[in-house]
Amino acid sequence: MTADTQQQTPTETRVPSTPAWAMLRTLGGIALISGLLVALVYQFTLPIIAENQRVLTEKAVFHVLPEASVKHDFVITDKGGLAPVGSGAEGEVVYGGYDAQGHLVGLAITGVAVGYAGPIRVLFAYDPDCRCLTGSKVLSSNETPGFGDKLDFDPVFLKNFEELDARLDAEGKALANPIVTVKHGTKSRPWEIDGISGATISSKAMGRAANAAAQHAVPAIERDLAWLKQQH
Amino acid sequence: MAELPDTREKLTPDTFLRGLWEENPVFVMLLGMCPVLAVTSTTMNALAMGLATTFVLVCSSMLVSLLRNWIPKQVRIASYIVIIATFVTIVDYGIQAISLELYAALGAFIQLIVANCVILGRAEAYASKQRLTTTFVNSLGMGAGFTLALLALGTVREILGNGTILGISLFPADFQPWIVMILPPGGFFVLGAWLLLFNWLRLRKERKQTEQIGVTAHAR
Amino acid sequence: MAKGIEIRTSPHLKRVMSVDKIMRTVVLALLPICAFSVYQFGLSALLLLTTTTAVAVLTEWFFARASGKGNTVSDWSVVITGLLLGLTLPPGFPLWMAAVAAFVGVALGKALFGGLGYNVMNPALVGRAFVQAAFPVAITTWTPAFAPGRFAELIPSTLTLPFMQPIPVADWVAGLQMDGWTGATPLAIQKFQHIELPASDVFTGMIAGSAGETSALLILICGLWLAWQRMLDIRIPLSVLAGAALMALPFWLLDPGHYPSPWFVLSSGGLMLAAWFMASDMVASPVTARGAIIYGLFIGMLTVVIRLFGGLVEGVMYAILIGNAVGPLISSWTQPRVYGATKKAKESE
């Protein structure tokens, strides 16, 4: 822009000419160097990053399904069933955990709900034998340190997820009793989560996340349960 | 920032040390406040952010210095930004490869190194005029100063806000964490306290110097 | 204080109105509230008020010395800060946290701005806001009023070791066997369970809450006395209360089962104390008459908005801090026109 205005002032006798060629050469050259560098680093780090991602997911899945030693990934299809990852079907991923003998231990399902400070992503374990949620791990959240992060550490709160009822209704399309968070100390039924006093909003979000995850994934899991048990 | 001579600077210890104290980017020049306040809630985050910024600072300054006679002044800012962005992208991939958890903790602030004025300031005020060796030493000093400042904030905030340092517990189990220190306001409080300390020390030093000058003048 | 100019013929008898006289009167007005608080909560409240006041005075003394200002403790304003801060804290608040609050309030809220007359915000509330953010659990742990033996023993959390978590009070409270004690303030019970405690109990202070926020009636009497002594601008507290009541009224009419009645809004929480003794802080409130009313209404409405729709149970602290922050703006909006100056002339300045 400076260059344009300089050209348009004829009164000035010694107008420094715009070094168009030098500008092109420099910008082009720098773009080339930077493109090369970025591409090189990308090529080099891509497999490492993918491996990190895999390890991280595996760690989370084995955290909620401690008895599992092998993990298989499935997606929830549009038709409300499950299909192995890579079979062309697209949808939310459900992780199946199997023990060394190849028995299905449980499934890890993800749920998202908005908490006090943005979305909370949680991984829940679903046990088809007791038809309940048996574990939880917060994957990402921005909750206030010291309050919201109790979701992952408070032993009293974690007790909620030892056997949280997630049975389906007669039609098998939704939970018989939606999972809800109730006020601290008032849990009376197996599908209720005892909230954390002082972190009401975060613990309520946890309940919504559990409900969303179960409502979405459990019907599909129960439909294809027999098939799932053979996938080891 | 102090006036830099037009001529090339000779390599002295001061080339490096200036960035640590006299021209400390955070405590004296007050540059790059965004990451300083945002990612210093723990020592680890502060250290990682400081090192990432230092890497980008040193690499981009060196490249700018190398190309300094080749970049027309009309497009210099554009060139600097492209160079800086390149190294930021590299750091971004690098941190993802090292640890995804660290990457999640630092969040958008890695990409935002592009907009850190410490780096563009170095390129414009120093690297574009100086030789490669002095540029390397000077930007390393600046990066070290920035990292030190981040660490100074990060350790105080982690100790008070969490009772730990680098994740190691320092206090008995029933220590009461000062939650405000991990929250954004805590960043402002701690930064303010450090600035207070730095300015107080500087004023005291200056007063001593003037007193000494007065004494020598009197002796004459 | 915005007072009209009086034009009289001589002889002029000037009333002596010095800073320390005003401040001493305010302290005097606070004393009955403190006394009731001690009567309600016992020794712990006494220690709490003593600690905040002592630390506030010491901090003021230290900063006055360090900045070479001379002794500014003698103007009594810092005693008000200390007492007010103590009154806003839960009676069983650990003393070391109360000391932190007093130090931060006076140092950050007052001394760093240049001392009395330069502070942007009410120092007591700055201190309280800091500990609210730093120790959110301790500051919402309530203990029952009129506990038996409250003059003989302390609430266990009071004497927590510095930098340690407050000693749990749940067992101690259970041991008292107080009927109907839920550990929540009337505001919290209303907010989360939509049960309104009898307003008469709330008004006279027969309930849980901060050390000095429980008896709205007593605070009202002390505040009115202060206004009668012309030591505060009565427009501010009245418009704060009016703002809160006006804001609460439509919601209550719409759904009385869910929203609190204006009467409950006025008598519960710290609104009364805040309206009479904190919003009316002379330094941090607007100086013009119209400004004072706008400022008061703003604080009152904001309090109710935070109470009804925010994550917090009590909003009056943040409402006043925000009110303090916009105070200078309100002052400059409501500048009275200089006699003879036209609008145009003012614009062309």
Side-chain angles (χ1 to χ4, degrees):
Chain A
M1 282 210 298
T2 352
D4 286 347
T5 46
Q6 278 172 344
Q7 277 182 332
Q8 282 161 8
T9 47
T11 44
E12 208 151 322
T13 43
R14 285 181 57 209
V15 178
S17 64
T18 316
W21 163 240
M23 278 161 61
L24 273 175
R25 179 198 64 192
T26 309
L27 283 179
I30 289 174
L32 206 70
I33 298 175
S34 85
L36 217 74
L37 275 172
V38 169
L40 215 71
V41 173
Y42 179 72
Q43 281 297 328
F44 178 68
T45 54
L46 188 64
I48 308 177
I49 294 171
E51 174 66 15
N52 277 350
Q53 191 74 57
R54 198 186 61 76
V55 169
L56 206 67
T57 322
E58 205 157 68
K59 224 167 84 183
V61 169
F62 290 154
H63 177 90
V64 294
L65 296 170
E67 287 158 33
S69 55
V70 183
K71 172 178 83 78
H72 290 300
D73 301 355
F74 307 98
V75 289
I76 301 169
T77 58
D78 306 337
K79 284 171 241 142
L82 293 177
V85 160
S87 64
E90 284 193 8
E92 207 177 310
V93 182
V94 168
Y95 309 97
Y98 299 83
D99 64 11
Q101 284 82 43
H103 297 303
L104 180 67
V105 181
L107 293 113
I109 56 182
T110 36
V112 185
V114 176
Y116 188 74
I120 307 176
R121 281 187 64 230
V122 197
L123 196 68
F124 296 99
Y126 174 76
D127 185 344
D129 292 339
C130 78
R131 296 185 177 173
C132 57
L133 298 184
T134 55
S136 73
K137 165 131 183 76
V138 177
L139 296 177
S140 66
S141 88
N142 297 321
E143 300 304 280
T144 317
F147 267 91
D149 59 3
K150 279 187 181 170
L151 299 180
D152 235 10
F153 301 110
D154 189 12
V156 180
F157 184 70
L158 287 180
K159 264 209 165 62
N160 284 309
F161 296 96
E162 280 175 6
E163 206 176 327
L164 187 66
D165 185 271
R167 262 172 306 141
L168 293 178
D169 59 6
E171 280 177 51
K173 294 260 195 274
L175 294 187
N177 304 295
I179 297 165
V180 284
T181 305
V182 295
K183 201 176 167 305
H184 178 69
T186 61
K187 172 173 172 149
S188 57
R189 286 171 293 192
W191 56 86
E192 286 175 344
I193 297 174
D194 194 4
I196 305 172
S197 78
T200 318
I201 298 175
S202 302
S203 46
K204 278 196 170 152
M206 195 77 169
R208 285 199 304 275
N211 189 47
Q215 296 277 16
H216 187 61
V218 173
I221 294 169
E222 288 294 332
R223 211 191 77 165
D224 292 341
L225 193 59
W227 173 79
L228 264 177
K229 284 189 172 164
Q230 294 155 7
Q231 305 290 315
H232 47 83
Chain B
M1 215 181 299
E3 284 277 323
L4 283 167
D6 265 351
T7 49
R8 288 170 179 182
E9 192 191 348
K10 267 194 191 141
L11 188 60
T12 59
D14 192 49
T15 315
F16 179 80
L17 292 176
R18 240 185 352 224
L20 289 184
W21 180 261
E22 239 174 278
E23 289 180 19
N24 187 300
V26 174
F27 292 142
V28 178
M29 299 202 286
L30 292 175
L31 293 177
M33 287 294 111
C34 179
V36 168
L37 293 168
V39 297
T40 54
S41 55
T42 66
T43 315
M44 195 59 220
N45 287 359
L47 185 65
M49 190 68 201
L51 291 179
T53 309
T54 306
F55 173 79
V56 175
L57 180 59
V58 170
C59 292
S60 56
S61 294
M62 279 168 68
L63 196 59
V64 167
S65 170
L66 211 63
L67 302 177
R68 69 183 185 278
N69 295 326
W70 203 52
I71 299 173
K73 72 172 191 302
Q74 287 89 338
V75 291
R76 65 182 196 285
I77 300 291
S79 312
Y80 299 160
I81 289 291
V82 172
I83 290 172
I84 294 166
T86 307
F87 289 107
V88 170
T89 315
I90 291 172
V91 157
D92 188 86
Y93 287 136
I95 291 181
Q96 282 189 64
I98 293 167
S99 161
L100 279 175
E101 274 155 1
L102 184 63
Y103 185 75
L106 295 179
F109 293 99
I110 299 171
Q111 286 96 319
L112 280 175
I113 297 176
V114 174
N116 192 326
C117 36
V118 175
I119 300 170
L120 191 63
R122 271 303 91 185
E124 169 78 1
Y126 197 91
S128 60
K129 296 173 191 141
Q130 303 290 346
R131 276 175 300 143
L132 190 62
T133 44
T134 47
T135 300
F136 172 73
V137 173
N138 181 272
S139 56
L140 201 64
M142 280 286 162
F146 189 75
T147 311
L148 268 182
L150 256 68
L151 272 178
L153 260 83
T155 38
V156 171
R157 288 178 70 184
E158 191 181 335
I159 290 172
L160 279 179
N162 210 13
T164 57
I165 187 159
L166 286 170
I168 302 156
S169 206
L170 291 180
F171 299 101
D174 55 350
F175 171 75
Q176 167 69 49
W178 299 37
I179 287 155
V180 69
M181 286 302 166
I182 311 181
L183 302 178
F188 284 96
F189 288 138
V190 179
L191 178 66
W194 277 114
L195 286 178
L196 194 75
L197 184 72
F198 253 71
N199 278 326
W200 181 69
L201 285 175
R202 220 173 35 169
L203 281 177
R204 211 179 62 155
K205 200 174 150 195
E206 273 168 23
R207 205 178 308 139
K208 263 189 188 160
Q209 273 170 353
T210 36
E211 268 167 24
Q212 271 177 351
I213 292 167
V215 168
T216 42
H218 190 74
R220 276 177 197 173
Chain C
M1 272 199 202
K3 272 206 285 179
I5 299 167
E6 293 183 88
I7 299 170
R8 286 189 191 170
T9 54
S10 56
H12 300 292
L13 273 173
K14 197 165 163 277
R15 213 170 129 194
V16 183
M17 192 74 133
S18 60
V19 172
D20 67 309
K21 188 175 175 217
I22 299 175
M23 297 301 172
R24 272 208 309 273
T25 320
V26 177
V27 171
L28 211 62
L30 278 172
L31 282 180
I33 303 172
C34 298
F36 186 71
S37 163
V38 174
Y39 168 64
Q40 248 183 323
F41 296 105
L43 274 180
S44 283
L46 183 65
L47 271 182
L48 182 72
L49 288 166
T50 321
T51 309
T52 51
T53 311
V55 174
V57 167
L58 276 177
T59 314
E60 173 89 6
W61 175 81
F62 172 78
F63 276 96
R65 255 187 83 101
S67 62
K69 274 224 180 76
N71 189 2
T72 53
V73 174
S74 61
D75 68 20
W76 285 84
S77 69
V78 70
V79 177
I80 301 179
T81 302
L83 286 178
L84 278 179
L85 176 64
L87 288 173
T88 60
L89 297 171
F93 201 57
L95 293 181
W96 76 268
M97 294 181 185
V100 169
F103 174 79
V104 169
V106 175
L108 258 184
K110 190 173 169 193
L112 287 188
F113 285 101
L116 182 67
Y118 300 96
N119 48 315
V120 181
M121 289 169 180
N122 185 316
L125 288 180
V126 171
R128 194 190 191 277
F130 183 86
V131 285
Q132 167 104 52
F135 315 118
V137 177
I139 210 160
T140 47
T141 306
W142 311 102
T143 49
F146 303 109
R150 61 188 183 278
F151 298 116
E153 60 167 351
L154 292 168
I155 301 169
S157 54
T158 297
L159 289 182
T160 304
L161 286 176
F163 298 101
M164 292 297 137
Q165 276 171 17
I167 297 162
V169 291
D171 292 342
W172 178 77
V173 171
L176 293 175
Q177 296 184 332
M178 308 271 293
D179 285 339
W181 170 253
T182 62
T185 60
L187 266 178
I189 294 171
Q190 202 287 324
K191 185 174 176 108
F192 297 117
Q193 295 166 33
H194 308 300
I195 298 168
E196 223 170 87
L197 293 185
S200 55
D201 283 3
V202 177
F203 191 63
T204 50
M206 303 299 147
I207 37 123
S210 293
E213 72 176 20
T214 50
S215 174
L217 178 66
L218 187 64
I219 295 165
L220 186 66
I221 295 170
C222 292
L224 279 173
W225 178 75
L226 210 55
W228 177 66
Q229 292 285 311
R230 314 196 102 191
M231 295 294 174
L232 61 77
D233 186 350
I234 196 162
R235 290 186 204 95
I236 293 176
L238 288 187
S239 47
V240 170
L241 298 176
L246 282 177
M247 192 74 199
L249 187 64
F251 292 106
W252 179 63
L253 289 178
L254 219 64
D255 187 359
H258 188 94
Y259 293 108
S261 65
W263 172 241
F264 180 80
V265 164
L266 290 188
S267 49
S268 61
L271 185 64
M272 210 44 105
L273 184 70
W276 288 96
F277 289 96
M278 295 179 195
S280 58
D281 184 312
M282 284 169 205
V283 182
S285 56
V287 284
T288 58
R290 264 193 310 153
I293 292 170
I294 297 173
Y295 165 84
L297 288 175
F298 175 75
I299 290 176
M301 291 180 165
L302 204 58
T303 305
V304 173
V305 168
I306 297 176
R307 275 190 192 180
L308 295 187
F309 306 108
L312 293 164
V313 170
E314 175 58 301
V316 74
M317 171 178 76
Y318 290 116
I320 291 185
L321 287 174
I322 295 170
N324 287 163
V326 297
L329 195 65
I330 297 176
S331 283
S332 77
W333 273 346
T334 54
Q335 278 305 319
R337 196 146 51 90
V338 176
Y339 182 71
T342 56
K343 254 191 174 170
K344 250 188 185 165
K346 211 182 161 195
E347 275 165 15
S348 66
E349 262 169 25

